[in-house]
């Protein structure tokens, strides 16, 4: 087994660019097609000549864009293309990229999030700029227009100085019709060259057909592409040596970023996904979630968290936080049950609907019912413009990027992060004191690094997953907040490896289920909650006495004498321990499924989005 330890290749939108000796349009479209598997909501291209830019964009599929153009008739040899995964502004033709300046002499595409776009936009409007879209990206083209005085590299240098956030941008102008410019910080960009010209893209698959030798730009770098080659610079304009990386794998592997499966890739994307989700929310120790200003907490007597599957497990976690920090009656209900359970839902109720896809039928139906009854409704989703976000009063977005594998991984851990921030902020807004509040926020900010440390345990989890080679069952046990890790770990194992797995509160085992424990039964035990860890350890000992093969996940400090298979998570506030624990359990399920030869990305009987009740 080769363990994945790759670059943080995390992508939301798709970018392609070309300048060369052959028509650009087929190259741009083909490149976007190779990035299509990740999902997008609109697509567009700009082609350049010295006389004019030609920009075409469409909401919906790339095929719709393609069929709206007579491709062979476009002979321009320079252009840029984009598939958009909406983050600011709903999917629509106007919000699609490329964005152009008013004179239609400069066009840009952007991947990432500009955190300070509102303040830049206000300044640009004051200077007379008119905005066509709701996107954060449009500020870039107007800034370029503002700074451009004949030298686009200089205009880009001045523009990037104004931007906070993450970006990979790609620029063309009629003034230099055979040049493409790129710049990046915290979003990926690769460039390459072949005898036909120079290419850039947000990910390797888009250029792999033309060259296997690529330059992976680093943060703070920009580049100029011409038909004859590529030149790399830092943001001060100093020329840099180009570092060429040879890509040994084929297109199929490249789409998975060199990982074996999408699930593996998405597990490894978690440090970046978590960082992106927190981006712009935690600032100088303060939480910035303006969507919550609209929630009138004075009125709220009940809080309901409603979701399905893995998202339901995120709700269990949020429920525990509300109990700790918010002092309200709180329930966590499976969306498929919510409408039938006679829960109190009225204008004094806050309902939070958590869903990766934003399209799950049961969750949507529960939301519609809650709205009809006058509840205040918040959605937590990963997909901008999804049905749930359109119905909810307010929406908070995880920024996990498209999740392709059926089993949810990065969506779950980003939900945990965002829900923590949400409950924390609601409590603060009420003036409630949160025990260890500062420490919790600090640890959240360390979470990308902590998750990286957990990913380094992949070889160990692979080894432990072999315990299941000849087993048909596994038991996951824990108490208090560890119960969230327990239910999620068991679900992940079941759905991708088809090993039967049960989740129990550790103290409940002796009330019946311990009858199932026999020699070599695999028990995964979580003991990260200090107040009950010693008790959990006693429960585990009861299983050891019956021959169980125990894997124990616990803290650095916890005494665990006599246990052979112990993994200790880094020091972290106990309320956050579910996040690193989950990453370990994802790896455990993943390797168990791989050992059993399962189709990890597409487990039997399951669909990524469940749009039927
Ligand atoms: C499990 C999994 C499912 C989803 C559930 C809800 O790995 O992915 O249990 O969590 O179907 O889906 P969303 O979050 O899209 O509402």
């Amino acid at each position: 087994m080769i363990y994945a330890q790759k670059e943080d290749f995390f992508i939301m939108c798709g970018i392609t660019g070309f300048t060369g000796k052959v028509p650009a349009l087929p190259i741009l479209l083909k490149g976007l097609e190779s990035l299509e598997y990740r999902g997008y909501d609109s697509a567009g291209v700009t082609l350049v000549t010295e006389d004019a830019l030609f920009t075409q964009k469409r909401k919906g599929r790339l095929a719709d864009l393609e069929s709206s153009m007579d491709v062979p008739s476009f002979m321009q040899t320079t252009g840029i293309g984009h598939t958009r995964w909406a983050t600011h502004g709903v999917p629509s033709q106007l919000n699609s990229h490329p964005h152009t300046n008013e004179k239609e002499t400069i066009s840009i595409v952007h991947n990432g999030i500009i955190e300070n776009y509102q303040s830049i936009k206000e300044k640009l409007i004051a200077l007379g700029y008119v905005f066509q879209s709701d996107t954060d990206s449009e500020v870039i083209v107007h800034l370029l227009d503002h700074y451009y005085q004949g030298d686009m590299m200089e205009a880009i240098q001045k523009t990037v100085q104004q931007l906070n956030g993450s970006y990979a941008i790609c620029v063309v102008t009629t003034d230099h019709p055979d040049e493409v410019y790129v710049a990046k910080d915290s979003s990926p960009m690769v460039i390459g060259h072949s005898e036909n010209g120079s290419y850039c893209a947000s990910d390797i698959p888009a250029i792999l057909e033309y060259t296997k030798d690529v330059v992976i730009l680093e943060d703070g770098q920009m580049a100029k592409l011409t038909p004859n080659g590529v030149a790399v610079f830092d943001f001060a304009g100093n020329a840099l040596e180009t570092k060429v990386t040879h890509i040994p794998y084929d297109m199929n592997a490249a789409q998975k970023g060199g990982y074996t499966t999408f699930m593996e890739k998405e597990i490894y994307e978690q440090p970046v996904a978590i960082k992106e989700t927190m981006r712009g929310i935690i600032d100088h120790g303060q939480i910035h979630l303006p969507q919550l200003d609209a929630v009138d907490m004075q009125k709220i007597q009940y809080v309901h968290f409603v979701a399905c599957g893995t998202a339901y497990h995120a709700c269990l976690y949020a429920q525990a936080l509300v109990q700790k920090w918010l002092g309200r009656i709180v329930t966590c209900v499976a969306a498929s049950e919510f409408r039938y359970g006679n829960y109190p839902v009225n204008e004094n109720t806050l309902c939070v609907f958590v869903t990766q896809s934003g399209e799950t039928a049961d969750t949507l139906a529960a939301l519609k019912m809650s709205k009809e009854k006058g509840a205040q409704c918040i959605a937590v989703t990963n997909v901008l413009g999804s049905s749930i976000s359109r119905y909810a009063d307010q929406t908070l977005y995880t920024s996990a990027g498209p999740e392709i594998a059926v089993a949810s991984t990065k969506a779950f851990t980003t939900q945990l992060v965002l829900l923590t921030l949400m409950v924390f902020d609601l409590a603060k807004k009420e003036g409630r004191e949160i025990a260890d509040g500062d420490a919790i926020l600090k640890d959240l900010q360390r979470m990308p690094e902590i998750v990286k440390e957990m990913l380094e345990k992949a070889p160990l989890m692979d080894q432990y997953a072999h315990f299941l080679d000849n087993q048909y069952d596994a038991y996951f046990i824990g108490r208090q907040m560890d119960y969230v890790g327990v239910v999620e770990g068991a679900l992940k194992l079941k759905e991708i490896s088809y090993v039967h797995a049960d989740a129990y509160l550790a103290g409940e085992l002796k009330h019946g289920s311990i009858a199932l424990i026999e020699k070599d039964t695999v028990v995964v035990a979580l003991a990260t909650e200090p107040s009950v860890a010693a008790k959990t350890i006693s429960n585990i000992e009861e299983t050891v006495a019956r021959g169980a093969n125990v894997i124990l996940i616990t803290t650095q400090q916890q005494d665990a004498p006599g246990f052979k298979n112990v993994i200790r998570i880094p020091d972290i506030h106990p309320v956050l321990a579910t996040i690193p624990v989950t990453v370990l359990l994802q790896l455990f399920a993943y390797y168990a499924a791989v050992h059993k030869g399962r189709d990890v990305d597409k487990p039997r009987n399951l669909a990524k989005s469940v749009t039927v009740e």
Side-chain angles (χ1 to χ4, degrees):
M1 186 76 69
I2 298 166
Y3 299 101
Q5 274 304 331
K6 307 220 168 53
E7 294 284 317
D8 287 338
F9 243 56
F10 169 68
I11 301 140
M12 290 187 188
C13 303
I15 287 181
T16 54
F18 175 75
T19 180
K21 301 163 190 155
V22 296
L25 185 57
I27 292 170
L28 299 177
L29 292 174
K30 200 150 190 216
L32 293 176
E33 214 173 279
S34 70
L35 303 177
E36 219 180 356
Y37 64 95
R38 291 178 292 117
Y40 61 95
D41 48 63
S42 52
V45 289
T46 291
L47 299 165
V48 195
T49 63
E50 60 186 346
D51 302 324
L53 299 177
F54 174 85
T55 298
Q56 182 89 333
K57 37 197 199 179
R58 284 281 178 281
K59 182 180 171 205
R61 312 302 303 161
L62 193 58
D64 300 331
L65 174 73
E66 207 166 336
S67 61
S68 73
M69 303 173 81
D70 178 22
V71 175
S73 68
F74 289 92
M75 302 309 288
Q76 296 94 327
T77 55
T78 300
I80 53 178
H82 192 265
T83 41
R84 176 170 187 255
W85 165 267
T87 59
H88 289 71
V90 295
S92 71
Q93 172 126 342
L94 280 180
N95 288 338
S96 318
H97 299 217
H99 294 289
T100 36
N101 61 340
E102 203 180 338
K103 289 173 273 176
E104 299 209 6
T105 52
I106 304 171
S107 182
I108 67 112
V109 291
H110 164 231
N111 177 12
I113 296 173
I114 306 302
E115 288 163 18
N116 58 336
Y117 81 101
Q118 277 296 7
S119 62
I120 300 176
K121 192 169 176 175
E122 280 160 27
K123 285 181 200 147
L124 286 166
I125 288 172
L127 289 170
Y129 284 93
V130 177
F131 280 74
Q132 306 290 334
S133 75
D134 303 323
T135 64
D136 52 337
S137 311
E138 196 184 340
V139 296
I140 299 169
V141 75
H142 297 311
L143 277 176
L144 287 170
D145 179 275
H146 176 64
Y147 289 124
Y148 181 69
Q149 306 216 313
D151 182 342
M152 188 53 79
M153 292 296 272
E154 199 183 296
I156 293 174
Q157 283 163 29
K158 289 183 176 157
T159 296
V160 295
Q161 277 172 28
Q162 305 298 316
L163 307 179
N164 294 339
S166 60
Y167 52 86
I169 55 178
C170 192
V171 184
V172 285
T173 170
T174 47
D175 278 3
H176 302 280
D178 54 359
E179 291 177 1
V180 174
Y181 312 89
V182 297
K184 81 141 234 154
D185 192 7
S186 303
S187 289
M189 177 66 79
V190 293
I191 58 178
H193 180 72
S194 79
E195 57 180 3
N196 279 338
S198 299
Y199 311 79
C200 65
S202 55
D203 199 3
I204 292 165
I207 61 177
L208 205 53
E209 184 177 328
Y210 313 106
T211 176
K212 284 192 166 244
D213 294 319
V214 304
V215 179
I216 300 172
L217 288 188
E218 285 168 23
D219 287 346
Q221 292 187 343
M222 51 198 289
K224 187 199 256 189
L225 282 59
T226 64
N228 299 321
V230 297
V232 181
F233 304 86
D234 63 20
F235 281 178
N238 302 308
L240 302 172
E241 223 177 280
T242 50
K243 244 181 23 204
V244 175
T245 305
H246 182 74
I247 305 299
Y249 39 79
D250 63 9
M251 171 76 79
N252 191 12
Q255 288 188 329
K256 295 175 184 133
Y259 293 97
T260 319
T261 60
F262 284 113
M263 182 175 174
E264 189 188 30
K265 175 172 180 271
E266 287 160 10
I267 288 174
Y268 278 85
E269 282 174 342
Q270 288 178 111
V272 184
I274 289 171
K275 198 165 150 197
E276 289 299 312
T277 296
M278 291 191 293
R279 188 182 286 286
I281 298 183
I282 309 180
D283 190 18
H284 294 91
Q286 300 296 318
I287 296 175
H288 180 68
L289 280 173
Q291 301 93 320
L292 299 181
D293 294 346
V295 179
D296 184 359
M297 280 309 284
Q298 298 293 331
K299 278 173 65 178
I300 301 301
Q301 290 172 350
Y302 308 102
V303 182
H304 298 302
F305 286 94
V306 183
C308 299
T310 286
Y312 169 76
H313 298 157
C315 288
L316 286 174
Y317 175 81
Q319 179 191 26
L321 294 185
V322 169
Q323 251 150 237
K324 279 182 200 295
W325 296 342
L326 211 53
R328 293 292 197 289
I329 301 168
V330 52
T331 63
C332 174
V333 190
S336 52
E337 293 291 302
F338 191 59
R339 278 176 301 156
Y340 313 107
N342 203 20
Y343 296 94
V345 181
N346 53 44
E347 55 285 356
N348 300 327
T349 314
L350 173 65
C351 293
V352 184
F353 301 88
V354 182
T355 163
Q356 186 282 132
S357 62
E359 303 296 342
T360 300
D362 282 320
T363 313
L364 192 56
L367 165 59
K368 285 180 182 167
M369 182 203 77
S370 307
K371 278 216 69 163
E372 276 162 24
K373 292 188 171 188
Q376 298 185 45
C377 295
I378 297 181
V380 173
T381 184
N382 194 37
V383 181
L384 199 131
S386 54
S387 305
I388 292 270
S389 71
R390 281 183 272 117
Y391 281 100
D393 297 318
Q394 299 295 330
T395 303
L396 308 183
Y397 290 101
T398 48
S399 296
E403 200 178 57
I404 293 166
V406 164
S408 191
T409 53
K410 60 179 181 169
F412 178 68
T413 44
T414 53
Q415 281 161 1
L416 297 186
V417 167
L418 192 54
L419 287 165
T420 306
L421 291 169
M422 185 191 95
V423 181
F424 197 106
D425 198 35
L426 287 174
K428 281 277 166 192
K429 284 191 166 114
E430 280 208 315
R432 287 175 182 268
E433 199 50 51
I434 294 177
D436 304 331
D438 291 346
I440 291 169
L441 282 192
K442 277 205 183 105
D443 280 355
L444 259 184
Q445 286 167 287
R446 285 171 55 224
M447 196 56 81
E449 291 311 311
I450 289 170
V451 168
K452 271 188 195 161
E453 269 187 60
M454 296 298 89
L455 294 171
E456 283 163 16
K457 307 262 185 221
L460 194 60
M461 299 322 289
D462 180 1
Q463 184 192 322
Y464 291 156
H466 276 297
F467 294 172
L468 289 166
D469 284 353
N470 300 311
Q471 294 289 317
Y472 298 99
D473 307 288
Y475 298 91
F476 288 71
I477 60 171
R479 289 164 174 251
Q480 295 288 309
M481 290 190 82
D482 277 331
Y483 186 65
V484 178
V486 160
V487 284
E488 176 58 10
L491 176 63
K492 220 77 315 173
L493 183 65
K494 278 186 278 207
E495 67 179 326
I496 60 167
S497 76
Y498 316 150
V499 171
H500 163 251
D502 262 344
Y504 287 108
L505 290 164
E508 281 292 294
L509 263 189
K510 57 183 170 298
H511 296 287
S513 318
I514 201 161
L516 295 165
I517 308 292
E518 52 189 20
K519 187 169 171 331
D520 294 335
T521 302
V522 174
V523 173
V524 180
L526 310 185
T528 69
E529 174 94 31
S531 59
V532 286
K535 287 197 187 302
T536 306
I537 302 263
S538 310
N539 300 136
I540 305 166
E541 272 158 2
E542 292 158 13
T543 70
V544 174
R546 285 152 184 88
N549 199 1
V550 173
I551 300 157
L552 171 63
I553 301 178
T554 189
T555 59
Q556 296 290 326
Q557 288 75 25
Q558 183 58 48
D559 263 359
F563 289 100
K564 275 196 306 217
N565 313 310
V566 183
I567 310 157
R568 295 186 185 275
I569 59 167
D571 278 331
I572 187 172
H573 195 280
V575 298
L576 301 175
T578 307
I579 300 171
V581 164
T582 298
V583 175
L584 294 173
L585 297 182
Q586 290 166 351
L587 290 166
F588 180 67
Y590 179 78
Y591 289 115
V594 170
H595 298 162
K596 289 180 187 294
R598 307 301 190 214
D599 183 348
V600 174
D601 282 339
K602 291 197 181 96
R604 69 187 181 200
N605 307 338
L606 294 176
K608 181 68 188 158
S609 189
V610 185
T611 51
V612 290
E613 288 179 30

